[in-house]
Amino acid sequence: MLARTAANFYWMGRYVERTEHTARLLRHQLGGLVDTPAEEVALGWRVVYRTLGQSAPDAPADADEAEAFLVADAYTLAGTLVEDDTNPDSLVSCWGMARENAKQLRPQLPLRVWTGLNRGYLWLRDCEFPSVWRVGPAQLVSEGIDRLRLLAGVVHATMPRDDAWRFLELGRLVERFRHQTALLDNWDRLGCVRGEEPRLSWADLLRVCGAYEHYCRRHTMTVRRAGALDFMIRDPEAPRSLRFAVHGIEDLLLGIDPLGGRHPLAPPHRMALRLAALVEAGAGGPARVGAGGAGREPREKELFEQMGRDGDTLHELVMSAYVDYPVAEGLPA
């Protein structure tokens, strides 16, 4: 496979996953605008923006002014993350970048995959956000998630399990690991500081990740910090847990580069193994995550920070190993 083709599949997967991640955060935030206290709404917006790596909005300190500000400005805050094509993390920007990568892959993509991706982008681009907002703030992002799920189903049903599919899925899982790490870190650091108000619900974190019902079946309907964090880090069956993403990355790398999985390990394989060990054992043990008493322990903070750095390093190693290698290395001596 040509390096540029691999890169296009990889980035297409990353942008599709990033689009769904942003839509999930927005659906939760917009769904609670009506019956959620203003302080919690403001805190939720801070978590959303920080998770996406952007500056968090500042609401007025006065409670009455904050409520008026957030109700009036929720449209602007959501619109920035939905229809603002100058924002690289908005839905229309990420969907458009996925489409641009897919345009370079038309000969390799099944027609149904291209059609689903293209129609979804055109629908979002031409959607009148003010009209949709009047009907229901969360309606647009909910429909966007449904379209992305349909696209994922078409990919699963029509694409052969070759290197094209592997690079596409690798991009999705690398993006998922990075964003889920940021979400867990910011939710714990900003949204659920023990002894302080307001606070975000740990059950809501599981709902954002689509894991609430799975958690209740496996454990209990009472969701606490320790159980929620441990579940989203270590559960092997939850599709948005860190362990699920890392094990998927390991399998995909073995399919792309079987020799890289033998001793000595290729750099991407080595980093994936490091991530798997970090998720399983952690800095001081994932079993300690959420087990603290009065506050967040330094080891817990270091765990998420280390995971984030290693996730970025994994991306760089994948690029250098399979995409950005020097041209001279591919030429005969």
Side-chain angles (χ1 to χ4, degrees):
M1 175 178 287
L2 293 176
R4 64 173 178 270
T5 301
N8 283 327
F9 273 112
Y10 176 82
W11 280 109
M12 175 184 165
R14 288 205 65 162
Y15 280 118
V16 168
E17 184 68 24
R18 193 175 303 178
T19 306
E20 183 174 352
H21 181 81
T22 303
R24 283 174 175 272
L25 291 172
L26 280 173
R27 182 174 63 179
H28 167 72
Q29 181 67 11
L30 296 178
L33 288 179
V34 176
D35 55 357
T36 303
E39 295 85 353
E40 291 185 21
V41 173
L43 183 59
W45 281 119
R46 284 197 290 272
V47 171
V48 169
Y49 272 78
R50 291 284 182 86
T51 300
L52 297 176
Q54 301 190 14
S55 299
D58 294 322
D62 182 78
D64 294 334
E65 292 182 8
E67 183 172 4
F69 164 80
L70 290 166
V71 171
D73 210 45
Y75 171 85
T76 302
L77 295 173
T80 300
L81 296 177
V82 172
E83 63 172 357
D84 185 1
D85 55 10
T86 64
N87 183 349
D89 289 308
S90 70
L91 297 184
V92 70
S93 295
C94 293
W95 213 320
M97 291 302 298
R99 177 176 177 267
E100 287 301 313
N101 282 278
K103 285 172 65 176
Q104 310 301 320
L105 300 169
R106 291 293 301 276
Q108 289 84 19
L109 273 181
L111 179 60
R112 292 286 302 278
V113 175
W114 163 253
T115 301
L117 183 62
N118 187 49
R119 285 180 175 175
Y121 169 75
L122 296 177
W123 160 79
L124 182 61
R125 185 196 65 182
D126 297 337
C127 183
E128 295 185 1
F129 188 63
S131 301
V132 175
W133 184 270
R134 287 193 293 269
V135 175
Q139 178 177 324
L140 178 65
V141 291
S142 294
E143 185 173 348
I145 292 173
D146 290 341
R147 288 175 178 266
L148 291 169
R149 287 174 175 171
L150 177 61
L151 175 63
V154 172
V155 168
H156 179 80
T158 60
M159 288 191 67
R161 296 327 189 236
D162 55 5
D163 280 348
W165 176 83
R166 292 188 185 98
F167 274 106
L168 176 63
E169 291 300 305
L170 180 63
R172 287 180 65 99
L173 291 180
V174 169
E175 186 73 20
R176 183 175 302 179
F177 180 87
R178 191 62 186 89
H179 273 284
Q180 285 297 108
T181 301
L183 174 61
L184 296 179
D185 185 22
N186 283 286
W187 198 282
D188 188 37
R189 181 159 48 90
L190 301 176
C192 293
V193 179
R194 288 182 292 277
E196 296 184 9
E197 296 292 341
R199 297 166 58 186
L200 300 181
S201 165
W202 287 107
D204 285 342
L205 171 66
L206 297 178
R207 292 187 179 97
V208 172
C209 300
Y212 179 71
E213 294 179 357
H214 183 198
Y215 180 90
C216 292
R217 289 194 298 267
R218 292 282 299 276
H219 300 283
T220 174
M221 295 186 68
T222 302
V223 183
R224 294 185 173 88
R225 178 178 182 267
L229 280 178
D230 188 67
F231 185 80
M232 292 312 305
I233 291 173
R234 302 179 64 193
D235 190 275
E237 298 176 355
R240 296 194 171 272
S241 73
L242 302 185
R243 187 177 184 184
F244 184 95
V246 168
H247 286 186
I249 289 170
E250 288 184 299
D251 292 340
L252 291 165
L253 287 174
L254 284 174
I256 292 170
D257 183 12
L259 295 179
R262 302 178 184 177
H263 182 78
L265 296 176
H269 293 73
R270 189 182 305 115
M271 181 52 65
L273 187 63
R274 173 188 171 94
L275 277 175
L278 188 60
V279 167
E280 190 61 35
R288 295 178 57 86
V289 175
R296 195 185 198 204
E297 294 189 2
R299 288 180 176 178
E300 299 172 11
K301 178 181 178 181
E302 292 172 3
L303 173 63
F304 289 120
E305 290 179 349
Q306 186 63 51
M307 286 180 176
R309 289 193 296 267
D310 286 351
D312 292 338
T313 302
L314 175 62
H315 161 74
E316 295 170 1
L317 292 175
V318 168
M319 290 290 98
S320 63
Y322 306 122
V323 176
D324 297 331
Y325 58 86
V327 175
E329 292 185 6
L331 299 177

